Amino acid sequence: MKIKAVKFREHGYYSQPFAFAGEGGEFDKNIRYRGSLQNWLIDLGDEVILVDTGIPAGTPEEHPDENTPAYTGKDICTYMEAFKALGYRPEQVTKILLTHRHADHSGELRSFPNAKVYVNEEELSAQELQGLGNIVPVSFTDGAYYNFPETQKIHDGIYFIKAKGHTNGNSLVIVENDGLFYMMQGDITYVDEALYENKLSIVYDDLAAARETLDRVREFISCHPTVYLSTHSPQGYENLEANRVMDLDNPVPTIFEEVEFSQKEDSGKYICSICGYVYDPAEHDGVAFEDLPDDWRCPRCKKPKDKFNKA
């Protein structure tokens, strides 16, 4: 078995309030933890399994300023270019395990028409999943996996685990290999610092469920040698490259993101930092984002205007 990172954005960041303030508290917006975007590939030899599928090709980069709480980073390449650079073809992928619906995780599902897309059945109504004929709804009928009560075994050593909170259909994946447990998670935490500090981000559909999920994640890591593979932090692929087992009592030293804010001219488009929806005035009768009413919400994930970044 080989586990690989599919890397497609770098040099992003997540501010401390964004990453830590889900349950309240005072945090410093000028503390910015390193951000990136990568998803995961599991090569079993006779089949290839993906965990999430990046952002859609053509999604513009954000244009952050000093008040932007979250920034996904600069393009390295598209998700599909990163996938192919690892030496694989779309037709080789047999299964996709979707942690949740948001476009930075589901954006290229349509590029793998031969794969079965396993997704928590509670996500099936999501706009991002409509029109796909290869969805396999998961109802988690295989009982408990250690301290996680609802799971589905996908393959020997590969478990799809219900992890509600960030979205109501959120899931995570654990892969067992050579005595280690590789935990592939979407947005249970955005940065590893939040895992160490036991903090929830401000992005959740169900706060109580998000707290329960993070508690279970930390309990599992405390009891099992776990390599923690995040989508939004470069520590995800750094942990993989080093086979670094998480020690919650001894955090990896933080490297803060040094940000130089661009002077590029804004395009007039705005991007939802939660689900990736692009607001283009040209598609909304020319109405500028700034002129939308204060109670306007993202048509996809229903988050408010302040979760959007300039593009």
Side-chain angles (χ1 to χ4, degrees):
M1 178 190 295
K2 298 177 181 178
I3 300 172
K4 302 181 182 183
V6 187
K7 307 175 191 175
F8 49 98
R9 278 194 175 175
E10 63 184 355
H11 298 304
Y13 67 79
Y14 295 92
S15 70
Q16 193 179 69
F18 184 93
F20 279 24
E23 294 171 301
E26 296 294 326
F27 300 99
D28 187 346
K29 71 175 185 178
N30 296 311
I31 294 177
R32 300 180 179 97
Y33 301 106
R34 292 184 299 154
S36 59
L37 275 177
Q38 63 276 331
N39 298 142
W40 309 102
L41 181 150
I42 308 164
D43 186 342
L44 296 174
D46 58 346
E47 65 175 312
V48 175
I49 298 174
L50 299 179
V51 179
D52 294 344
T53 61
I55 53 178
T59 300
E61 291 184 9
E62 298 139 301
H63 179 190
D65 60 30
E66 291 84 351
N67 295 312
T68 302
Y71 168 48
T72 59
K74 300 176 181 179
D75 288 333
I76 302 170
C77 58
T78 68
Y79 173 86
M80 290 306 298
E81 288 169 342
F83 166 80
K84 292 174 182 177
L86 293 176
Y88 297 91
R89 304 182 309 278
E91 57 269 24
Q92 291 178 270
V93 177
T94 56
K95 297 181 179 71
I96 299 171
L97 310 181
L98 187 66
T99 62
H100 62 288
R101 65 183 185 267
H102 292 155
D104 50 346
H105 301 261
S106 63
E108 289 290 348
L109 289 176
R110 287 168 177 77
S111 296
F112 302 94
N114 298 333
K116 294 180 178 179
V117 180
Y118 290 76
V119 59
N120 185 331
E121 61 184 1
E122 295 184 48
E123 295 278 74
L124 295 181
S125 63
Q127 178 183 335
E128 296 91 333
L129 305 183
Q130 299 313 299
L132 289 170
N134 52 343
I135 296 285
V136 178
V138 176
S139 53
F140 303 99
T141 57
D142 288 339
Y145 178 80
Y146 295 99
N147 64 317
F148 294 102
E150 296 180 80
T151 66
Q152 196 83 30
K153 184 176 180 180
I154 301 298
H155 187 278
D156 288 345
I158 301 177
Y159 298 88
F160 196 52
I161 295 169
K162 192 171 187 178
K164 181 176 179 177
H166 175 69
T167 70
N168 286 322
N170 204 71
S171 306
L172 62 83
V173 176
I174 293 179
V175 177
E176 300 175 2
N177 190 41
D178 291 337
L180 296 178
F181 298 82
Y182 294 82
M183 181 180 288
M184 303 171 187
Q185 62 90 24
D187 302 346
I188 294 170
T189 60
Y190 280 84
V191 298
D192 285 13
E193 287 81 2
L195 176 73
Y196 289 121
E197 296 291 336
N198 195 17
K199 300 295 186 182
L200 293 173
S201 83
I202 62 172
V203 186
Y204 50 79
D205 284 350
D206 186 323
L207 178 58
R211 167 44 59 193
E212 182 177 1
T213 290
L214 183 56
D215 287 346
R216 291 188 187 281
V217 165
R218 285 172 50 84
E219 179 186 356
F220 185 92
I221 289 171
S222 296
C223 297
H224 305 87
T226 303
V227 182
Y228 191 67
L229 305 183
S230 300
T231 298
H232 290 277
S233 169
Q235 288 196 34
Y237 58 78
E238 292 166 0
N239 291 341
L240 177 63
E241 290 165 0
N243 263 349
R244 179 187 293 145
V245 171
M246 303 300 279
D247 181 348
L248 298 180
D249 295 323
N250 294 284
V252 173
T254 294
I255 302 172
F256 296 104
E257 186 65 34
E258 297 295 332
V259 185
E260 293 185 8
F261 294 106
S262 170
Q263 300 302 313
K264 291 180 181 178
E265 184 177 351
D266 297 335
S267 66
K269 298 177 183 178
Y270 279 71
I271 304 173
C272 180
S273 64
I274 308 306
C275 76
Y277 175 82
V278 179
Y279 182 89
D280 184 347
E283 298 175 357
H284 295 270
D285 299 322
V287 177
F289 185 83
E290 294 85 350
D291 294 335
L292 294 169
D294 291 343
D295 61 355
W296 183 90
R297 290 182 172 265
C298 176
R300 183 184 288 160
C301 71
K302 311 307 179 187
K303 300 301 181 184
K305 284 179 69 177
D306 64 3
K307 298 299 187 293
F308 278 73
N309 295 334
K310 295 177 181 179

